[in-house]
Amino acid sequence: MKTKPKNTANSIDYYQKRCEELEKENAELNAKVNWFLEQFRLNKQRQFGSSSEKTNPDQMQLFDEAEVEAQPLLAEPTIETITYQRRKKKKGHREAMLKDLPVETVEYRLPEEEQICSCGHPLHEMSTEVRQELKIIPAQVKVVKHVRYVYSCRNCEKNETNNSPIVTAPMPNPVLKGSLVSPSFMAYVMSQKYLNSMPLYRQEQQFKYLGIELSRQTLANWVVYGADKWLKLLYDRMHTHLLNHEVLQADETTLQVLKEPERPAESTSYMWLYRTGREGPSIVLYDYQETRAKVHPHKFLSGFKGYLQVDGYAGYNGLSDVTLVGCLSHARRKFDETLKALPKSKKNAEVAAKKGLDFCNRLFAIERDLSEKTFDERYEKRLERSRPVLDAFLAWLNQQKPQVLPKSSFGQAINYCLNQWDKLEAFMLDGRLDIDNNRAERSIKPFVIGRKNFLFANTPRGAKSSATIYSVVETAKENGLNPFNYLNYLFEKLPNIDIEKQDILDQLLPWSDTLPDSCRLKNR
């Protein structure tokens, strides 16, 4: 405790100094309180509010979704808005949607004894009335017996010829020797888990209802074997093709793996994602690793030269012959979060964060206008239209920096943009580059959704198998394939080809022109 001075002069100096100290402490405490309130409002918004980052999102009633979403007049027929609303049938839409589906026809005729008019003469068929319905056929399980015939010559047998020929009819190799699993069954289990996010324990129950007892351990063994033995071959070829591209995107997300060597079960592991940009063919690869260390992207991308678009994580720094490109969606998101963290009294006020959000919105609006341009045209138009906005944005950021609290949401948004500026404006270097890393974020989302259902992987081997399967399934989707049909085709072909020949494997890749039409999505 400070001692009070005895004389008057010293007393005035003391109290002035003490007031200055208290004012400083008060300002620091107010800043801390405001920061905590800001974080509280932001966390509350994340928990209960809309996740949309649109500047003016339409609000939806949370508990009346069915009533809100129901649109009885949609598609059968659609609503066309001119100056009023009227029902208008979209010509040819239904026929186009149904044209590739098998048709089962059910006819209704009068019995012969009723085909008599009241006048006593026979009735004739003058026309028909047709109604169409969609019929669903639930999954069925049946046994397929592969019976292989062996032939010999009776004449040689009768004459006891030593070299009596024995000829065996050819039969395709199974996807797994000594197992009940067929190509279609393995494809079905994988597509249910990795496409529809249905964990194996739920599939175990589903098969029980279909009349077959299959444990989740058996299903897991089939999945891991199919991934390690067959799909890994395509994964490695896709990895080689990926590294030959000049524009890639990357992202990463967490994963819990229970039985990692010398690590607690609650340890956090990571699923890394690497994918191609605007230029085709689309390739999406997942890579499981125990940590988020920079050694992993450096190893995975060894040999790659070009542009890599990321979200600002420092682990990608230092890649040889690689130019890092930032993500303006992340910058925009930070200004959006700043506005969401404001108290209600300031929601409609003209705060500085709205200016930052406006700069981002203007840049994204330009990108939408240029979406159909060629790469060269996009490059030239960005110099003309985006460069002035970026220059004004940077000048505004430098003006705001001394005026904001570094730890506030607004201060973090300003500092993020300034620290990442070289990467944020790097999309201007090449018309093939995107303004954001959203392609990678969209590609990693299926894994995030699946993770919510299966929660964790049991072993590192299982996590690696999941990475392989997700890679094949997501790349198939990106290239317009039906994932189940494609997996089924792979498991039929791979056991029966020379897997040592890369050119043969390349014919099975998701973008190959030699894939059968049955693998491709209809109406695409």
Side-chain angles (χ1 to χ4, degrees), residues 100-330:
D100 293 314
L101 296 177
V103 177
E104 172 188 335
T105 302
V106 181
E107 296 182 339
Y108 303 91
R109 301 175 184 270
L110 286 174
E112 288 189 11
E113 61 272 16
E114 295 183 16
Q115 296 183 22
I116 305 296
C117 181
S118 58
C119 70
H121 290 78
L123 299 174
H124 73 279
E125 296 176 357
M126 59 172 282
S127 65
T128 59
E129 296 179 0
V130 179
R131 140 175 139 243
Q132 294 189 106
E133 299 174 340
L134 290 173
K135 179 180 180 179
I136 188 72
I137 303 174
Q140 297 179 342
V141 180
K142 67 179 180 181
V143 177
V144 177
K145 287 187 177 181
H146 294 267
V147 181
R148 189 179 193 181
Y149 286 86
V150 181
Y151 300 83
S152 66
C153 176
R154 290 194 182 279
N155 181 59
C156 293
E157 291 174 352
K158 186 182 296 184
N159 295 325
E160 297 182 352
T161 303
N162 291 332
N163 58 347
S164 176
I166 296 178
V167 182
T168 303
M171 180 175 67
N173 294 324
V175 68
L176 175 57
K177 288 185 179 180
S179 170
L180 285 172
V181 67
S182 67
S184 63
F185 208 106
M186 186 174 284
Y188 182 80
V189 174
M190 285 185 178
S191 60
Q192 286 291 88
K193 178 174 171 62
Y194 297 98
L195 185 65
N196 299 326
S197 302
M198 181 179 287
L200 295 181
Y201 77 89
R202 292 185 192 169
Q203 294 193 54
E204 178 184 28
Q205 297 170 350
Q206 182 189 54
F207 290 128
K208 184 177 181 181
Y209 298 143
L210 293 174
I212 181 170
E213 298 279 351
L214 289 171
S215 70
R216 71 194 71 174
Q217 290 76 23
T218 298
L219 299 177
N221 291 338
W222 291 351
V223 167
V224 172
Y225 179 87
D228 294 352
K229 175 68 175 178
W230 304 120
L231 299 187
K232 187 63 166 59
L233 299 169
L234 297 186
Y235 180 95
D236 291 339
R237 288 303 298 152
M238 290 193 293
H239 188 189
T240 299
H241 286 280
L242 180 91
L243 297 179
N244 290 330
H245 280 251
E246 294 181 351
V247 177
L248 299 181
Q249 294 189 352
D251 200 1
E252 70 286 333
T253 190
T254 57
L255 170 67
Q256 185 180 4
V257 180
L258 298 184
K259 297 178 181 178
E260 289 176 322
E262 300 179 1
R263 298 187 80 200
E266 62 273 13
S267 298
T268 298
S269 301
Y270 286 85
M271 190 68 82
W272 298 73
L273 177 131
Y274 307 88
R275 63 153 299 143
T276 52
R278 290 175 180 264
E279 290 185 301
S282 295
I283 306 174
V284 180
L285 296 183
Y286 294 80
D287 180 42
Y288 154 74
Q289 297 294 343
E290 289 186 358
T291 68
R292 203 186 183 196
K294 68 178 184 179
V295 64
H296 304 308
H298 283 240
K299 181 180 179 180
F300 192 91
L301 295 174
S302 177
F304 166 68
K305 297 179 181 180
Y307 298 100
L308 179 65
Q309 193 149 27
V310 294
D311 59 6
Y313 172 51
Y316 299 103
N317 294 342
L319 287 165
S320 301
D321 300 313
V322 173
T323 300
L324 293 181
V325 184
C327 176
L328 265 161
S329 277
H330 278 74

Side-chain angles (χ1 to χ4, degrees), residues 464-476:
K464 291 178 181 177
S465 299
S466 293
T468 300
I469 300 170
Y470 268 117
S471 300
V472 173
V473 168
E474 291 304 313
T475 302

Side-chain angles (χ1 to χ4, degrees), residues 294 309 381 389 480 484:
K294 68 178 184 179
Q309 193 149 27
K381 289 294 183 182
V389 179
F484 167 75

